[in-house]
Amino acid sequence: MMAAHPPIRILTAVPICDGHDSAINTVNMELIRHGVEVIYLGYHRSVKAMVRAAIQEDVRTLGISSYNGGHVEFFSEVVKLLRKHGAGDIHVFGGGGGTITRADEVVMTRRGVDRIFFAGTSLSEIVAYVKKQYGGQRKVALPSLSKATHLTNRQLAKLLTAAETNIPIPSLKLQPPTGGCRTIGIAGPGGAGKTTLIDELVLRHLTLKPHARVAILSHDPSGSVSGGGALLGDRAPMIYSQDDRVFMRSLASRGHDGGLAACTRRCVQVLQRCGFELILIETVGIGQEAVPFRGGLTDRTVLVMSPDYGSRLQLQKIAMLDVADLVVVNKSDLGGAKTALSEIAQRLESNQRGQQLLTTVAKQHRNAGVDELFNKLVNP
Amino acid sequence: MSILAEINKAIGAHARQVERHVESARKDPVFRRKLLKRWKDVRGSVQTVTTPTGLKLPKLALPPTEEPAEIARYLYGEGLPGEFPFLNSAYPEMYLEPAPNSEIRIPKSEIEEPTRLFAGLGLADDTNKRFHYLTGQQRTVRLSTAFDGPTLYGMDSDAEGVLGKIGEGGVAIDTVEDMERLFAGFPLNDSNCSVSMTINGPAPTILALYIAAAKRKFGAGVVPKLRGTIQADILKEVQAQNENLFPLDASLRFLTDMVEYTTHHMSRWYPISISGYHIAEAGSTPIQQAAYTLSNGFTYVELFRKRGIDINKFGPRLSFFLDGSLDIEYLVLPRVCRKIWAIGMRDVFGADARAQMFKLHIQTSGRSLVAQDFKNNLTRTAVELLMACINATNSCHSNSADEPFTTPSEEYVRLAAHGQAILLEESGLFKHMMNTFGGSPGIKHVEKAVEEAILAEFDQIDRLGGVLSAVEHRYQRSQIQTAAHRYEQQIHSGVRPIIGLNRYADTKGEQAEPKVVRTPLGKQKRQVQRLRDFKRRHAKQSPKALDRLASVVENGGNVFAELIETVETCSLGQITERLQQIVGCYRPTV
């Protein structure tokens, strides 16, 4: 059974030692406008990072934009490593100005790359190719959940694809959640620094617990005007979460209101049974009225805000302030942070729920506020 | 209010001051008399030149007017070539043929011979050979270095996953020994030799490697003699080019340490080249390029001043690097930049005349070149060169026609260099008169529109709290990305004609491809071997050197001064990693 035509999910990226992201940004925008869900991994990314992300996201294809040379080796390594992980069903295509020659293309396609686009290709040609080549239905072979703590990234990714597309996972209910697993929901408006904060929390967790595994479930909005496409961009700013002990999955809201996706609960249920110590759920940038984590989905919830939320009146309207266990004022180095802090403190006091208020500067290396948040939240 | 609001005010105040002078020229007899006396003197001092065809022309073209108000508007609003606000040029005589007895007002070594060609390929020895080939045709030694991807990201050639990228698109530099090989046979201690290095994220380490290599060859006394430029513009990296290693705050500190050092010890070095080139190549509009470059520049000035470095010492050592493309804005863009920079430096920062000059290197646009019918790129580059010279750029790089495919081949590098020579030496456009093109009504109109648009951008950035705060809001990035997308859509719809691509395209099918220059894997592995050998030989000293560096970073000392010692025993990648452990890694913005 399969939903009629779920949007195509693809991963795009620029190779290691290459910062040329102008072309890929433009292609991303064009694909999204035409209904594709693009998970963007960013620039200066290694073969390993690309393959890991492609497998975890279980995308149909990986699009690579390469300018700085070395593309024959790079693309070949990507294909080889995908196949090594049994993920040969994830296709690879790419392009890169004029640095890739016709002769290179011959070698690259022989080694398993679907298609190379040359300089001067129109955007519509690329979009049409992606939709035609990667738009068809896809078979999903479900692994059993009976050995859920020993699943490979690949198997887990397939389970999440099933959860995402509403395919029943019969063994799910038979399996108890992993002991000691903490699920933390992180909400906040766009630009508050949720992704940076999550990456910094992951760094601390990986450092403190050398064998622990972490899962991140990250949400971004689907465009209603843009034909349902979405830019799932939370992997791109990640530094420390590009790690074999971190499993990350990006979900588009696909029209679901409130900051998460319709399939979020099913995905969380899968992850909770797969041996992770820590599961972090990041919402889309939420509005004032949203209360994303309901019905026991999470163990703790955090609201991340930046000091520039506007007036005190705006503050009164933020629904999450009533239910979050912890409220974090990030970017507390900005002007206006003091005022924000005292206004929010007052607001929380009136709730009389014992909610905690913390300040962080997540962009700062080894920030003491993030340390404190980590201790309160993940490592109490 | 950020510094940009003050700049905007100063530009407004300057315009009003010019109007007051114009008014005085009309109404104040004393002022008018002095003005007309000066005008008479200026006109009297203009020499006459004779062209090869026998035509007699004034060396300096002044507006043909006796009207005091017009004279005041010209002298105060534009300034004579080489005079505030430097609209016409930074120096009086830019490309004139040296006359045997002409009085040159600036020391000769300060005049930039405009030809400076960018090179870098394979290993240090290969690039060294290319350098010797290129300078064989030049009167002075002007080297310009491109680095490969791993070097640009501060990584070693033996780092995981970089094989295939070593020596591609530029030269691979890991150690001081590579740097010695790169410049072997060049008189780095000579005032006629200058070296430019295009690198940003790891710029302090790379300059330290260069200094260490020069010291090995010429002794410690060479340091104050070194001439050249390192790009080191970290703000445009965050906005457009994406080659960052450290969080912005840390990068700015390392940069300021370097500028402090060069200001005190290397007075002939340009420690930063404030660059719009990569902003434009990432797809910005011409206005965005100018506005972000200038506003980044003012931000650096503020930062260096805050450190206590004398603006009149570092100000003359700032230089600029712009893209010259085909849009009409480029007919005047550098002129307007010179004016805004001069007014800002004088009236907001109180800098003296030498620190007011916007010294400019232009490279023709890589983005404007296309692979289809690639020989058309020769014409595109020629037109871009023409506009760059009309704007009296201090130096220029003309792209090779085969750049859409590859590291430029010798054939097209030579044609690109000759393009400049044809324009400046063969044609009569620039060698007889100082300012053949300034002052036409068309140019004035475009100037006005461009200036207004740049100031409007300043205003936008100021509203976001200034450059650094706007960067945090992703303002410049998102503006550039939107412009890039629009550009592509315009090509697609045909609003923007690209000859050979969306107009007059050759429909006969496959086009010939030029020869591609690649670095063979065997050679790449040789670099890895060399590096491992260096690391082995310095295995004892390097941990201690890195510890010393770390303690300087932690204790707030000048990191650059220490780096010059560290590079003696440590590789670029070892240094980058250690610094990242202390200050963190750069978090990519998208």
Side-chain angles (χ1 to χ4, degrees):
Chain A
M1 204 170 75
M2 178 151 234
H5 270 296
I8 305 169
R9 280 166 56 90
I10 83 168
L11 182 80
T12 63
V14 177
I16 194 164
C17 300
D18 198 339
H20 292 90
D21 65 347
S22 179
I24 197 78
N25 281 330
T26 302
V27 172
N28 283 348
M29 275 194 232
E30 203 63 17
L31 286 169
I32 293 158
R33 246 160 44 89
H34 289 88
V36 178
E37 290 180 0
V38 178
I39 298 145
Y40 179 48
L41 184 60
Y43 46 84
H44 186 35
R45 293 302 187 196
S46 67
V47 169
K48 219 168 130 181
M50 283 190 200
V51 168
R52 185 196 297 124
I55 289 175
Q56 291 182 352
E57 300 286 358
D58 193 30
V59 288
R60 291 301 296 265
T61 183
L62 166 54
I64 303 172
S65 177
S66 167
Y67 278 75
N68 268 7
H71 40 264
V72 176
E73 293 82 3
F74 195 91
F75 279 72
S76 309
E77 283 299 312
V78 168
V79 173
K80 215 163 94 182
L81 194 59
L82 279 170
R83 286 177 184 167
K84 194 180 147 196
H85 286 291
D89 64 329
I90 298 176
H91 292 253
V92 178
F93 75 105
T99 54
I100 307 179
T101 65
R102 302 273 169 186
D104 294 340
E105 178 204 23
V106 172
V107 181
M108 290 157 85
T109 47
R110 198 171 55 224
R111 294 188 189 166
V113 175
D114 282 357
R115 170 85 185 257
I116 294 297
F117 289 101
F118 292 95
T121 310
S122 73
L123 292 171
S124 50
E125 194 183 337
I126 299 174
V127 171
Y129 176 83
V130 167
K131 295 193 86 162
K132 178 166 180 284
Q133 196 72 11
Y134 308 117
Q137 289 209 350
R138 200 179 180 199
K139 276 183 203 149
V140 181
L142 279 190
S144 154
L145 251 178
S146 62
K147 286 179 184 165
T149 52
H150 294 94
L151 291 182
T152 62
N153 275 353
R154 167 85 172 155
Q155 291 168 322
L156 176 52
K158 288 290 176 198
L159 283 176
L160 290 177
T161 301
E164 194 179 50
T165 40
N166 226 351
I167 296 170
I169 307 170
S171 53
L172 187 64
K173 286 198 178 117
L174 305 174
Q175 202 61 29
T178 311
C181 168
R182 292 175 72 77
T183 306
I184 295 169
I186 297 176
K194 298 184 291 295
T195 309
T196 305
L197 210 51
I198 286 175
D199 196 39
E200 290 288 334
L201 292 174
V202 167
L203 165 69
R204 283 158 178 80
H205 196 69
L206 295 181
T207 313
L208 191 75
K209 305 196 170 169
H211 301 290
R213 290 167 66 222
V214 181
I216 302 168
L217 204 55
S218 169
H219 296 78
D220 274 305
S222 304
S224 46
V225 214
S226 68
L231 178 67
L232 306 170
D234 290 335
R235 279 179 176 270
M238 294 290 194
I239 303 170
Y240 311 106
S241 303
Q242 314 270 351
D243 189 288
D244 283 336
R245 289 196 282 141
V246 180
F247 187 100
M248 180 162 174
R249 183 78 167 214
S250 311
L251 298 176
S253 62
R254 294 188 182 172
H256 189 79
D257 288 336
L260 300 174
C263 65
T264 303
R265 186 171 296 274
R266 285 192 301 277
C267 290
V268 172
Q269 284 168 351
V270 171
L271 290 170
Q272 283 172 336
R273 284 159 176 79
C274 291
F276 294 101
E277 276 201 12
L278 180 63
I279 299 170
L280 299 165
I281 307 170
E282 178 180 353
T283 65
V284 305
I286 56 162
Q288 291 169 333
E289 74 291 348
V291 182
F293 307 110
R294 295 166 188 267
L297 184 67
T298 54
D299 298 312
R300 306 289 296 275
T301 56
V302 182
L303 173 65
V304 184
M305 299 176 62
S306 86
D308 50 8
Y309 51 78
S311 67
R312 189 186 283 260
L313 189 67
Q314 297 304 318
L315 203 60
Q316 292 309 318
K317 300 182 195 164
I318 299 174
M320 259 306 274
L321 273 174
D322 293 329
V323 295
D325 298 312
L326 265 133
V327 177
V328 174
V329 178
N330 190 31
K331 307 190 179 180
S332 59
D333 57 332
L334 289 185
K338 241 184 174 168
T339 316
L341 207 60
S342 65
E343 285 180 0
I344 296 169
Q346 210 177 20
R347 168 88 155 78
L348 295 182
E349 239 165 74
S350 68
N351 287 344
Q352 298 196 324
R353 286 191 52 243
Q355 295 159 290
Q356 286 178 305
L357 179 59
L358 292 174
T359 58
T360 58
V361 187
K363 65 162 187 179
Q364 209 172 65
H365 190 55
R366 300 192 283 196
N367 177 252
V370 181
D371 288 342
E372 196 189 349
L373 174 66
F374 176 73
N375 288 331
K376 290 224 153 88
L377 194 63
V378 185
N379 191 35
Chain B
M1 188 169 84
S2 82
I3 199 80
L4 293 178
E6 291 180 50
I7 304 286
N8 270 5
K9 269 193 191 162
I11 305 289
H14 177 261
R16 286 192 298 278
Q17 182 66 36
V18 172
E19 284 312 311
R20 273 198 295 278
H21 287 317
V22 169
E23 222 23 51
S24 303
R26 283 196 188 112
K27 293 181 181 159
D28 178 349
V30 182
F31 184 90
R32 183 163 56 229
R33 210 167 31 247
K34 277 192 195 158
L35 185 76
L36 290 173
K37 165 86 172 61
R38 187 178 165 213
W39 192 238
K40 202 179 153 206
D41 290 348
V42 171
R43 296 233 298 210
S45 70
V46 174
Q47 295 169 2
T48 302
V49 289
T50 309
T51 70
T53 50
L55 195 65
K56 293 204 185 308
L57 290 169
K59 206 167 169 180
L60 168 65
L62 295 170
T65 180
E66 295 296 333
E67 173 58 46
E70 285 312 302
I71 294 168
R73 198 184 300 281
Y74 176 74
L75 286 177
Y76 294 102
E78 286 193 29
L80 292 168
E83 282 183 14
F84 187 86
F86 304 100
L87 192 78
N88 285 300
S89 58
Y91 295 115
E93 303 189 356
M94 295 301 299
Y95 315 127
L96 295 188
E97 274 189 325
N101 50 3
S102 71
E103 185 199 333
I104 293 172
R105 274 176 264 182
I106 40 170
K108 197 152 176 91
S109 65
E110 288 286 308
I111 304 175
E112 293 283 334
E113 187 180 352
T115 302
R116 188 191 272 281
L117 292 164
F118 194 36
L121 75 168
L123 309 192
D125 339 50
D126 304 309
T127 303
N128 179 265
K129 254 189 233 153
R130 171 65 69 95
F131 279 161
H132 282 287
Y133 169 80
L134 285 173
T135 52
Q137 305 177 326
Q138 286 186 4
R139 284 171 283 176
T140 48
V141 179
R142 301 199 176 281
L143 309 174
S144 180
T145 322
F147 297 93
D148 71 357
T151 309
L152 291 172
Y153 280 93
M155 298 165 82
D156 275 344
S157 294
D158 64 352
E160 192 190 338
V162 305
L163 195 69
K165 301 264 179 194
I166 301 167
E168 281 285 311
V171 60
I173 298 293
D174 294 310
T175 69
V176 63
E177 291 169 7
D178 293 330
M179 205 56 110
E180 286 180 278
R181 281 187 276 270
L182 182 60
F183 295 108
F186 286 106
L188 305 181
N189 57 344
D190 191 307
S191 67
N192 270 322
C193 175
S194 91
V195 170
S196 153
M197 289 181 274
T198 301
I199 195 156
N200 298 277
T205 312
I206 292 292
L207 182 57
L209 283 165
Y210 179 74
I211 293 171
K215 277 164 78 177
R216 284 182 174 199
K217 171 88 182 173
F218 300 100
V222 75
V223 177
K225 294 185 193 161
L226 296 174
R227 277 192 71 200
T229 308
I230 190 153
Q231 197 161 75
D233 177 2
I234 205 70
L235 287 173
K236 71 102 170 43
E237 292 298 328
V238 181
Q239 293 159 2
Q241 193 171 242
N242 304 327
E243 288 161 10
N244 305 78
L245 316 184
F246 313 112
L248 184 57
D249 290 353
S251 286
L252 289 172
R253 176 202 164 182
F254 298 155
L255 169 69
T256 309
D257 285 351
M258 182 174 84
V259 171
E260 188 174 43
Y261 182 93
T262 61
T263 304
H264 294 141
H265 302 284
M266 296 165 68
S267 61
R268 321 188 64 195
W269 192 267
Y270 290 97
I272 182 167
S273 166
I274 303 157
S275 305
Y277 192 81
H278 320 83
I279 292 171
E281 289 292 300
S284 83
T285 65
I287 298 298
Q288 286 166 352
Q289 173 182 202
Y292 301 162
T293 308
L294 286 164
S295 58
N296 289 350
F298 288 127
T299 305
Y300 289 125
V301 170
E302 216 183 356
L303 199 70
F304 301 155
R305 238 179 34 150
K306 218 180 262 170
R307 175 67 73 88
I309 316 173
D310 182 354
I311 191 167
N312 292 323
K313 290 222 171 76
F314 77 75
R317 307 317 294 175
L318 302 177
S319 65
F320 292 84
F321 175 27
L322 292 180
D323 198 326
S325 194
L326 293 167
D327 287 305
I328 191 166
E329 287 92 330
Y330 289 108
L331 190 59
V332 304
L333 203 75
R335 292 166 63 84
V336 177
C337 288
R338 270 197 299 269
K339 177 182 161 188
I340 293 175
W341 186 252
I343 295 171
M345 287 298 272
R346 188 187 74 172
D347 298 344
V348 175
F349 292 105
D352 69 18
R354 270 165 38 82
Q356 294 161 13
M357 279 182 218
F358 183 89
K359 292 186 201 168
L360 175 63
H361 175 77
I362 290 182
Q363 181 170 340
T364 58
S365 164
R367 191 180 173 85
S368 70
L369 307 185
V370 294
Q372 288 74 9
D373 272 337
F374 78 98
K375 286 180 184 170
N376 280 335
N377 294 335
L378 289 166
T379 309
R380 293 188 178 99
T381 301
V383 176
E384 290 162 355
L385 264 181
L386 176 65
M387 289 206 274
C389 292
I390 288 174
N391 277 279
T393 185
N394 298 73
S395 64
C396 199
H397 171 95
S398 39
N399 285 332
S400 301
D402 56 352
E403 281 200 3
F405 304 88
T406 174
T407 305
S409 62
E410 282 185 6
E411 180 189 359
Y412 285 98
V413 167
R414 189 155 172 270
L415 291 178
H418 284 183
Q420 295 196 33
I422 290 169
L423 194 61
L424 295 177
E425 297 170 34
E426 204 172 307
S427 97
L429 285 178
F430 298 100
K431 62 182 176 180
H432 307 306
M433 296 169 79
M434 288 185 204
N435 57 340
T436 320
F437 293 94
S440 84
I443 285 194
K444 278 190 198 302
H445 272 289
V446 188
E447 260 168 24
K448 183 164 177 283
V450 164
E451 180 180 313
E452 283 169 4
I454 292 173
L455 297 182
E457 262 303 314
F458 280 8
D459 196 44
Q460 277 298 319
I461 299 171
D462 178 62
R463 279 163 206 259
L464 291 168
V467 168
L468 296 178
S469 165
V471 160
E472 257 194 68
H473 284 93
R474 288 186 64 254
Y475 173 70
Q476 293 94 335
R477 281 189 83 83
S478 86
Q479 292 294 302
I480 295 167
Q481 284 170 12
T482 308
H485 194 207
R486 194 181 308 126
Y487 183 94
E488 291 302 324
Q489 285 174 329
Q490 286 174 344
I491 292 177
H492 182 58
S493 67
V495 171
R496 193 175 269 279
I498 309 284
I499 304 309
L501 178 68
N502 64 3
R503 195 173 287 187
Y504 318 129
D506 182 0
T507 47
K508 278 174 284 183
E510 293 292 289
Q511 305 208 7
E513 286 199 10
K515 206 172 133 241
V516 173
V517 183
R518 291 267 164 82
T519 304
L521 275 184
K523 196 175 259 189
Q524 299 193 27
K525 286 177 183 156
R526 192 158 85 231
Q527 179 63 18
V528 174
Q529 279 314 313
R530 274 180 181 168
L531 170 65
R532 291 200 173 133
D533 176 59
F534 177 94
K535 283 183 178 171
R536 196 171 34 74
R537 278 183 282 123
H538 299 89
K540 259 202 184 136
Q541 302 105 306
S542 63
K544 285 180 209 145
L546 289 172
D547 286 346
R548 275 196 303 276
L549 178 67
S551 85
V552 173
V553 177
E554 302 266 17
N555 299 329
N558 188 308
V559 174
F560 187 73
E562 186 60 35
L563 275 173
I564 299 174
E565 304 301 321
T566 321
V567 296
E568 288 289 343
T569 54
C570 304
S571 67
L572 171 63
Q574 290 175 319
I575 291 171
T576 303
E577 270 177 35
R578 187 55 177 266
L579 291 174
Q580 284 176 334
Q581 281 168 17
I582 307 167
V583 302
C585 297
Y586 176 72
R587 187 176 294 286
T589 39
V590 295

